[in-house]
């Protein structure tokens, strides 16, 4: 049997600039996957249509962030020569496939999707006030994935229910219409600290509204200042006090970003990050010193991104052109999959010579 193509697909809602949580949670891995050479095709897209499902009255926000996220992608090292970067709304085949998928999913199944369920609870009224577009976005997300025959979807754990629902749709489709679509696998981040990076204030999640994010596009000064103000261990009042690592944001970030060699280069008295942690828990190691290391480690990661971003910012029309070309390329695959879908669903009337011959024989008998 012919080996199946290995296809990566993933995306982000363009509702804000990307921060270091996005970087350790997904972006860093995508760049590694891209450069591994192990995949036949890589699709990375901006889910602007999905972003609009809960920013209905805020189209300008989505529009502004499409270019911000594109710059973040390019700055992080996604390479348009290796990865197809595109924008969801520019692929009309996604609407077409979603429309057919709607026949394969029940209202009660959507109501059981944890993401949709939370939203319904938040809005009250038993969910009647939820926009249909939001309600059905797990279906359109299944179209995002299957239209490109993705085999591997690198996303955070919060997307697990979406992937499960997608696999169900694929199984149902293939069962009814014959083997056409591909069941995707989720690829979760591999480092526990990366699953969800807390905000600089120690709150569970980085979010723009809480003002606790470090953005990929922050200047060196902004990063230094944010690290200085970071949440550590509130019981660690004096340097000599024993410190706690649990819930200590500085150490969570160090786990996500820092290599032992970087610890040793700055503080030769430690071989590894673990040595430094041991010192901290014993007492005698101040927060300032830990923050100094973290600042340096973050700058090492972010500085090359700043430089790349600055280059791309000089020619914004060229960035739009990268996206436009990406959309064109993505559509080549989209059109092909839709041909197969229409054939499987028996709605390919005009390119089926056998059908026309058969019908004409029936009527001219
Ligand atoms: N729902 C994803 C998020 O909020 C974005 C997304 C849309 C996506 N379609 C996708 C991710 C398809 C992976 C595959 O981050």
């Amino acid at each position: 049997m012919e080996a199946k193509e290995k296809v990566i697909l993933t995306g982000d809602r363009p509702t804000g600039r990307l921060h270091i949580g996005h970087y350790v949670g997904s972006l860093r891995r995508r760049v590694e996957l891209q450069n591994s050479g192990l995949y036949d095709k890589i699709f990375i897209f901006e889910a602007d249509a999905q972003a609009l499902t809960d920013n209905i009255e805020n189209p300008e926000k989505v529009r502004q962030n499409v270019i911000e996220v594109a710059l973040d992608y390019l700055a992080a090292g996604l390479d348009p020569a290796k990865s197809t970067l595109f924008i969801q709304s520019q692929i009309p085949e996604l609407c077409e496939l979603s429309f057919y998928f709607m026949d394969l999913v029940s209202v009660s199944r959507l109501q059981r999707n944890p993401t949709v369920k939370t939203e319904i609870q938040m809005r009250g009224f038993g969910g009647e006030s939820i926009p249909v577009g939001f309600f059905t976005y797990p279906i359109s997300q299944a179209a995002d994935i299957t239209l490109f025959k993705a085999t591997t979807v690198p996303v955070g754990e919060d997307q697990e229910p979406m992937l499960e629902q997608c696999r169900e749709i694929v199984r149902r489709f293939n069962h009814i219409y014959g083997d056409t679509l591909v069941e995707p696998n989720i690829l979760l981040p591999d480092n526990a600290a990366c699953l969800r990076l807390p905000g600089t204030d120690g709150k569970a999640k980085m979010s723009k509204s809480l003002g606790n994010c470090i953005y990929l596009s922050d200047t060196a000064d902004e990063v230094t200042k944010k690290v200085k103000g970071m949440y550590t261990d509130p019981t660690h009042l004096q340097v000599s006090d024993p410190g706690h690592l649990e819930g200590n944001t500085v150490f969570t970030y160090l786990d996500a970003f820092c290599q032992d060699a970087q610890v040793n280069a700055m503080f030769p008295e430690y071989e590894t990050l673990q040595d430094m942690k041991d010192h901290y828990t014993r007492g005698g190691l101040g927060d300032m010193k830990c923050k100094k290391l973290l600042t340096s480690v973050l700058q090492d990661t972010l500085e090359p991104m700043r430089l790349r971003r600055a280059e791309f910012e000089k020619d914004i029309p060229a960035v739009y052109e990268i996206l436009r070309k990406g959309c064109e390329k993505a559509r080549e695959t989209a059109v092909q999959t839709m041909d197969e879908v229409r054939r499987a669903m028996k709605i390919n009337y005009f390119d089926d010579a056998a059908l026309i011959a058969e019908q004409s024989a029936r009527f001219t008998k």
Side-chain angles (χ1 to χ4, degrees):
M1 206 180 89
E2 198 186 332
K4 200 165 60 181
E5 267 197 324
K6 293 176 82 172
V7 180
I8 288 193
L9 176 135
T10 189
D12 303 281
R13 297 173 173 216
T15 53
R17 288 183 290 152
L18 302 184
H19 50 62
I20 60 172
H22 294 115
Y23 183 71
V24 295
S26 59
L27 214 44
R28 177 166 65 186
R29 169 71 85 80
R30 288 180 204 170
V31 175
E32 285 166 12
L33 292 169
Q34 166 193 275
N35 296 334
S36 74
L38 293 173
Y39 292 86
D40 300 297
K41 289 183 187 155
I42 302 176
F43 295 101
I44 314 279
F45 75 103
E46 298 199 44
D48 61 337
Q50 187 180 104
L52 286 169
T53 63
D54 67 349
N55 288 277
I56 295 161
E57 284 162 35
N58 212 347
E60 193 55 36
K61 171 170 139 190
V62 174
R63 182 188 182 82
Q64 295 296 328
N65 282 304
V66 162
I67 189 74
E68 290 285 354
V69 171
L71 286 165
D72 287 332
Y73 281 171
L74 295 165
L78 290 177
D79 174 357
K82 295 180 186 155
S83 299
T84 304
L85 308 179
F86 70 98
I87 306 175
Q88 186 185 32
S89 61
Q90 306 307 301
I91 313 294
E93 289 77 14
L94 283 172
C95 299
E96 199 178 347
L97 188 57
S98 300
F99 189 69
Y100 298 128
F101 280 178
M102 288 193 188
D103 296 336
L104 306 179
V105 183
S106 68
V107 169
S108 70
R109 176 63 183 88
L110 281 173
Q111 282 167 333
R112 265 186 285 122
N113 182 301
T115 313
V116 175
K117 209 165 149 182
T118 312
E119 185 71 10
I120 290 176
Q121 277 161 1
M122 269 165 21
R123 291 180 187 238
F125 303 112
E128 274 85 5
S129 68
I130 194 171
V132 174
F134 185 93
F135 185 61
T136 56
Y137 98 71
I139 297 178
S140 82
Q141 185 155 337
D144 297 339
I145 295 167
T146 52
L147 186 61
F148 299 95
K149 298 202 172 158
T151 51
T152 308
V153 181
V155 281
E157 55 180 345
D158 60 313
Q159 296 296 306
E160 184 94 69
M162 296 293 163
L163 265 288
E164 188 46 44
Q165 181 132 36
C166 176
R167 283 191 290 267
E168 272 176 46
I169 291 173
V170 171
R171 286 197 287 268
R172 187 107 205 276
F173 187 101
N174 288 348
H175 175 73
I176 299 173
Y177 303 114
D179 216 3
T180 312
L181 301 174
V182 177
E183 263 189 64
N185 293 307
I186 192 167
L187 184 64
L188 293 167
D190 45 10
N191 174 342
C194 300
L195 278 176
R196 184 165 287 161
L197 212 56
T200 51
D201 55 0
K203 298 241 166 67
K205 215 177 158 181
M206 278 200 194
S207 100
K208 191 176 167 188
S209 52
L210 294 174
N212 61 0
C213 306
I214 295 178
Y215 294 101
L216 300 182
S217 48
D218 278 348
T219 63
D221 284 350
E222 284 168 327
V223 172
T224 305
K225 218 171 114 214
K226 287 181 183 180
V227 173
K228 273 211 182 94
M230 259 174 83
Y231 177 86
T232 56
D233 169 9
T235 70
H236 187 234
L237 297 173
Q238 307 208 318
V239 172
S240 57
D241 290 338
H244 298 87
L245 303 171
E246 186 74 21
N248 187 321
T249 316
V250 169
F251 282 97
T252 310
Y253 285 18
L254 283 171
D255 279 335
F257 283 96
C258 186
Q259 313 277 325
D260 288 336
Q262 291 170 299
V263 185
N264 185 252
M266 180 170 277
F267 302 122
E269 65 267 41
Y270 308 121
E271 283 292 325
T272 62
L273 181 58
Q274 189 57 48
D275 291 345
M276 189 166 175
K277 286 180 181 171
D278 292 343
H279 191 186
Y280 191 79
T281 42
R282 268 199 317 274
L285 172 58
D287 284 345
M288 282 304 291
K289 203 164 158 180
C290 306
K291 287 182 173 180
K292 188 174 163 212
L293 174 65
L294 178 60
T295 305
S296 146
V297 163
L298 284 178
Q299 304 295 19
D300 283 355
T301 307
L302 296 177
E303 187 55 21
M305 290 192 221
R306 279 185 208 116
L307 294 175
R308 271 197 297 270
R309 197 180 217 271
E311 280 307 305
F312 284 107
E313 282 177 359
K314 284 186 201 153
D315 193 354
I316 293 296
V319 176
Y320 279 105
E321 191 54 23
I322 288 171
L323 294 172
R324 200 184 60 76
K325 289 227 177 76
C327 291
E328 254 174 33
K329 186 139 178 257
R331 279 201 71 196
E332 287 170 17
T333 303
V335 164
Q336 200 185 330
T337 306
M338 274 319 296
D339 276 348
E340 293 168 27
V341 164
R342 282 193 221 97
R343 197 180 327 130
M345 294 183 70
K346 300 188 179 294
I347 52 176
N348 60 333
Y349 311 108
F350 307 133
D351 49 9
D352 187 348
L355 167 77
I356 298 172
E358 179 195 313
Q359 293 302 329
S360 93
R362 189 159 79 86
F363 286 100
T364 53
K365 226 180 351 212

